[in-house]
Amino acid sequence: MSNYFDQLHKMPPVWCTSDDQICVMCAPSENMQDFGVYMYSYGDNTSYKKEYDMSALSTAKGSKPDWTMFFPMLSKCVSNNNVVLTKVPSEEKIKMNFTGPCGNTFGLEALVTTENMEEFIISRLMFTNQVFSHTKEIMAKDAQLEKEANTLKEQADGLDSELQALKDNIKRNEQQESISRKRLGELKKQWDTMETSVDDPWKVVKDRQTKECRRVNPLLDKKCKDFDKTLMQLIKSLYIPSDDARYKATDPCHSVVKPLSKAELAQKQKSLANDKFYGAILKNLEKIEEWAYSVSDIQCIMNGDDYASLPFQPKGGSLFVTLYALFFKLDLLRKFKIDEQLALNWISVVEAGYHGNPYHNSMHAADVLHIVSFILTKGGLIEKCQLKDEQVFSAVLAASIHDFEHPGINNNFHMKTSSYLATLYNDRSVLENLHVSSVFELMKNSEYNILSPLSDDQRRDVRELVIEMVLATDMGSHGKYVTMMKSKLQEHSDFLKKEDQFLALAMALKMADISNCGRPLDIYLKWSGKVSDEFYQQGDRERNLGLPCSPFMDRLQPSIAKGQISFMNYIIIPFFEQMSELLPALRFAVDLAEGNKAYWAQNDDS
């Protein structure tokens, strides 16, 4: 079939005029799928036309098609006027007979039509002459049209993908709503019979959740879940094996699981090489020091996908794995003599406090945590600012909780709707205040107070730095922080003073919070899709309240490319360049952001 079309498309329109004043043209049809016979009789002003598809032309030819010979032979016959025309008035048609070079004959025909074939033949021949006279211009135009067609096809494919994503999102939301309604009914029944102690509002939670299990969101689950101690042991053994000089079995940081030795771990890793759970987790954790570490891959291994399971996470998610790994990789639990059970309580309750938003969820917290760790270590921030252990610990905690309890709508929405939170925090860093204050309120419960082993001075310093870092993630304050950093860089500050260290750490968390724009393209596109989903959900809420949709949040007017390009031009690239001036090892992130911007320039969805 492809041979047929190749030869058909190569055939130029050919024409001749018979002795009885019948003009004949043979050419590909206008849709370039069929072969056409077009005639006009000047004697009686009658038009004739018939278009043959491949099957009909094969039948008319009467032998096995050899299109590479047929079309050139037919063109030569017509050009040389080597055709015999026979009018059949009774059937309102004209028959054409051709004689090939080997003496074989075949016939075609054209039927009377009301179309004006004289004009059609003349216009086709004029167009053919123009093509031969202006070949380069025509080819350039065709190339441009082909490019535009490919662009339109890519846009159509993108819209199809977006439509499917919306359908999946609706399905997930319906499932989540069903589960939430059921759970709401259960909670109402519990409330009617519940007797709580005013002195200890956590009594009911404590009674329901035993010490040895992982905390879950009480609004979604009645009971906590068992820890996967095999997974924990494997992760811990990566960083502090039992034959490490730092290891002491009596240390509080080993109160739940004991690590394996290096040899035992190596043997385990060998036996788990093809394991799709433990082996896959370990393989992904090998990349935790790399910029391309993917929390999405961890999330899929833990729960099957990186979306629908976020509100539930029966095995824990990427935040649990990443935070637990970094606590031992950075040796924080040992340094501060934190009991492993207390750390596990804190990790699990923080993960449970993130909602199943498309973007601002526990997976985003894990991603930001990983990037903060990268900036501290490979980025060189610890060395640059000569950070103390307390400051590194604060940075890890701040990254983990920076979007705790995020409702999936931004500060502007709260202020436009005069929400309770906007009133509570006086329209100033509404969500950021919510995130950090909620966690410190949670830590009033001794079971979750991960800072309890620290001295009073250490706890005060950690709290001060965590608050500073989380509040800095408010994009409404972005200009202020960029200006402060610019001033310090112009002064050639050594960033060793406390206030300069605080600024550098705040900027590290800010960079991590929006780092997906400077990640490898595959990771970046996943996050850009998720943030668009969340934006569109806020736009839906605004529309339902009779409010205008915020910029880039109207799903009826999708403009992901425009929004992303603007964000990168005005926020990301200048900010990343500033951070690379502070830490030259981060310069590559600017190049990645430029590459991602170029992607949208070539895939505009507006």
Side-chain angles (χ1 to χ4, degrees):
M1 182 180 293
S2 61
N3 180 264
Y4 163 78
F5 286 116
D6 288 344
Q7 298 304 317
L8 174 67
H9 295 166
K10 290 178 181 178
M11 177 182 176
V14 290
W15 68 286
C16 66
T17 303
S18 69
D19 294 338
D20 49 353
Q21 293 186 308
I22 298 176
C23 181
V24 180
M25 183 177 74
C26 295
S29 63
E30 288 188 291
N31 65 8
M32 299 301 288
Q33 301 297 304
D34 303 322
F35 172 79
V37 177
Y38 311 99
M39 302 184 190
Y40 182 74
S41 173
Y42 286 95
D44 54 12
N45 297 322
T46 305
S47 295
Y48 300 84
K49 169 185 176 181
K50 185 168 182 179
E51 294 178 340
Y52 291 80
D53 61 17
M54 182 178 67
S55 175
L57 193 58
S58 253
T59 302
K61 185 176 180 297
S63 61
K64 187 177 181 180
D66 183 356
W67 305 115
T68 57
M69 296 180 61
F70 172 75
F71 286 110
M73 180 272 295
L74 189 146
S75 298
K76 187 175 182 180
C77 285
V78 176
S79 299
N80 295 337
N81 210 359
N82 188 19
V83 294
V84 177
L85 302 180
T86 305
K87 273 191 177 183
V88 187
S90 61
E91 299 179 18
E92 296 188 321
K93 66 181 179 182
I94 294 179
K95 292 184 176 181
M96 297 176 62
N97 289 315
F98 299 83
T99 301
C102 298
N104 55 316
T105 61
F106 64 94
L108 300 176
E109 63 184 21
L111 309 178
V112 171
T113 178
T114 57
E115 298 179 53
N116 189 332
M117 286 296 105
E118 180 186 26
E119 291 183 2
F120 178 78
I121 292 171
I122 292 172
S123 65
R124 285 294 296 272
L125 292 175
M126 289 179 65
F127 177 74
T128 302
N129 180 66
Q130 184 181 12
V131 169
F132 282 108
S133 302
H134 303 84
T135 304
K136 290 184 179 180
E137 292 87 339
I138 297 295
M139 289 180 65
K141 187 175 181 180
D142 286 346
Q144 180 62 29
L145 290 173
E146 184 178 2
K147 183 178 179 181
E148 292 176 1
N150 290 335
T151 301
L152 290 172
K153 184 179 184 304
E154 289 176 0
Q155 291 178 2
D157 292 342
L159 289 173
D160 287 341
S161 299
E162 188 173 338
L163 177 61
Q164 186 58 48
L166 289 173
K167 290 180 179 179
D168 293 342
N169 192 27
I170 291 171
K171 184 177 179 180
R172 293 179 182 118
N173 288 341
E174 288 174 347
Q175 293 172 344
Q176 184 175 341
E177 182 180 7
S178 175
I179 294 170
S180 298
R181 287 184 181 279
K182 181 180 178 181
R183 184 63 186 134
L184 179 61
E186 295 173 353
L187 289 171
K188 285 180 178 178
K189 291 179 182 178
Q190 287 183 18
W191 181 260
D192 294 336
T193 59
M194 189 180 292
E195 292 183 6
T196 59
S197 167
V198 176
D199 296 332
D200 187 1
W202 292 97
K203 183 176 185 302
V204 175
V205 175
K206 289 180 180 178
D207 291 344
R208 189 167 67 238
Q209 296 188 336
T210 62
K211 184 179 180 182
E212 293 297 329
C213 67
R214 182 171 60 82
R215 272 48 174 171
V216 293
N217 189 332
L219 293 178
L220 296 174
D221 248 317
K222 285 185 180 181
K223 298 179 181 179
C224 56
K225 305 292 185 182
D226 292 335
F227 289 112
D228 189 333
K229 293 187 178 180
T230 299
L231 178 61
M232 290 161 52
Q233 184 184 53
L234 290 169
I235 293 174
K236 179 185 289 190
S237 304
L238 288 172
Y239 308 109
I240 303 185
S242 61
D243 46 1
D244 189 288
R246 297 168 296 171
Y247 174 73
K248 292 182 181 178
T250 56
D251 281 348
C253 63
H254 302 299
S255 64
V256 177
V257 294
K258 308 300 180 186
L260 302 169
S261 67
K262 291 180 181 179
E264 290 171 331
L265 176 62
Q267 184 61 35
K268 275 282 187 182
Q269 287 177 307
K270 185 176 180 181
S271 65
L272 294 171
N274 298 317
D275 182 79
K276 294 183 179 180
F277 185 75
Y278 297 117
I281 293 288
L282 293 178
K283 186 174 181 180
N284 276 271
L285 283 175
E286 292 175 0
K287 302 177 183 178
I288 200 168
E289 293 185 349
E290 299 176 14
W291 189 257
Y293 173 73
S294 173
V295 296
S296 176
D297 292 344
I298 297 286
Q299 190 72 27
C300 290
I301 296 167
M302 293 294 286
N303 293 287
D305 67 34
D306 62 0
Y307 200 114
S309 58
L310 281 166
F312 314 108
Q313 303 185 136
K315 298 178 182 179
S318 55
L319 179 57
F320 186 94
V321 170
T322 305
L323 184 51
Y324 185 76
L326 288 176
F327 270 159
F328 288 100
K329 179 179 179 295
L330 300 173
D331 203 15
L332 296 172
L333 299 189
R334 186 187 67 84
K335 289 178 179 178
F336 293 103
K337 296 180 172 56
I338 297 172
D339 185 272
E340 186 174 14
Q341 184 61 57
L342 175 60
L344 289 169
N345 290 349
W346 191 86
I347 295 172
S348 59
V349 79
V350 165
E351 183 174 62
Y354 279 88
H355 302 308
N357 303 312
Y359 182 80
H360 288 103
N361 49 48
S362 61
M363 195 169 72
H364 167 65
D367 191 55
V368 171
L369 170 64
H370 159 252
I371 296 299
V372 165
S373 170
F374 183 96
I375 295 172
L376 288 170
T377 54
K378 281 199 168 183
L381 190 62
I382 292 177
E383 182 180 356
K384 171 76 176 180
C385 298
Q386 296 181 21
L387 299 177
K388 298 185 295 185
D389 290 337
E390 288 83 359
Q391 292 170 318
V392 174
F393 187 36
S394 301
V396 170
L397 298 186
S400 304
I401 62 101
H402 83 282
D403 275 328
F404 185 80
E405 294 282 6
H406 197 294
I409 46 180
N410 63 17
N411 285 337
N412 286 334
F413 183 91
H414 282 282
M415 291 185 282
K416 283 197 298 186
T417 58
S418 300
S419 70
Y420 168 75
L421 290 175
T423 304
L424 179 65
Y425 297 115
N426 300 310
D427 294 345
R428 295 181 182 176
S429 301
V430 177
L431 292 176
E432 291 72 27
N433 274 298
L434 169 70
H435 306 323
V436 73
S437 63
S438 296
V439 172
F440 278 107
E441 181 66 27
L442 183 69
M443 287 164 59
K444 289 181 179 179
N445 181 346
S446 60
E447 291 194 21
Y448 303 133
N449 188 5
I450 196 171
L451 301 182
S452 59
L454 279 63
S455 68
D456 290 343
D457 288 343
Q458 286 176 319
R459 284 197 296 271
R460 184 182 62 251
D461 290 344
V462 169
R463 174 174 163 79
E464 180 185 9
L465 181 51
V466 168
I467 292 173
E468 175 68 29
M469 291 181 68
V470 174
L471 292 185
T473 61
D474 179 6
M475 290 304 295
S477 304
H478 184 74
K480 179 184 77 172
Y481 280 92
V482 167
T483 300
M484 290 167 60
M485 177 58 73
K486 181 179 180 181
S487 176
K488 293 296 180 182
L489 291 171
Q490 289 175 342
E491 294 170 3
H492 301 290
S493 171
D494 57 12
F495 288 91
L496 299 181
K497 295 178 182 178
K498 178 181 176 180
E499 60 268 25
D500 294 347
Q501 292 172 326
F502 274 35
L503 174 61
L505 285 163
M507 296 294 274
L509 181 54
K510 283 174 60 60
M511 182 179 185
D513 194 22
I514 54 178
S515 64
N516 55 75
C517 291
R519 304 292 293 283
L521 184 62
D522 58 331
I523 296 177
Y524 162 66
L525 290 179
K526 284 187 178 181
W527 286 118
S528 65
K530 290 177 182 295
V531 77
S532 295
D533 284 348
E534 192 164 306
F535 279 179
Y536 290 151
Q537 287 184 9
Q538 176 170 323
D540 294 341
R541 294 187 189 185
E542 291 170 337
R543 189 183 296 107
N544 291 338
L545 291 172
L547 300 170
C549 290
S550 298
F552 310 115
M553 295 188 182
D554 187 353
R555 72 169 71 250
L556 302 181
Q557 297 180 355
S559 55
I560 299 176
K562 184 178 179 181
Q564 289 290 306
I565 290 173
S566 296
F567 189 54
M568 291 188 201
N569 278 335
Y570 296 108
I571 301 293
I572 294 296
I573 293 174
F575 180 38
F576 282 16
E577 286 177 340
Q578 188 181 65
M579 287 298 292
S580 66
E581 187 176 350
L582 173 69
L583 301 170
L586 299 178
R587 179 69 204 180
F588 68 90
V590 179
D591 299 330
L592 286 171
E594 290 281 8
N596 292 334
K597 185 180 76 170
Y599 169 85
W600 286 118
Q602 298 171 1
N603 295 273
D604 192 352
D605 62 339
S606 60

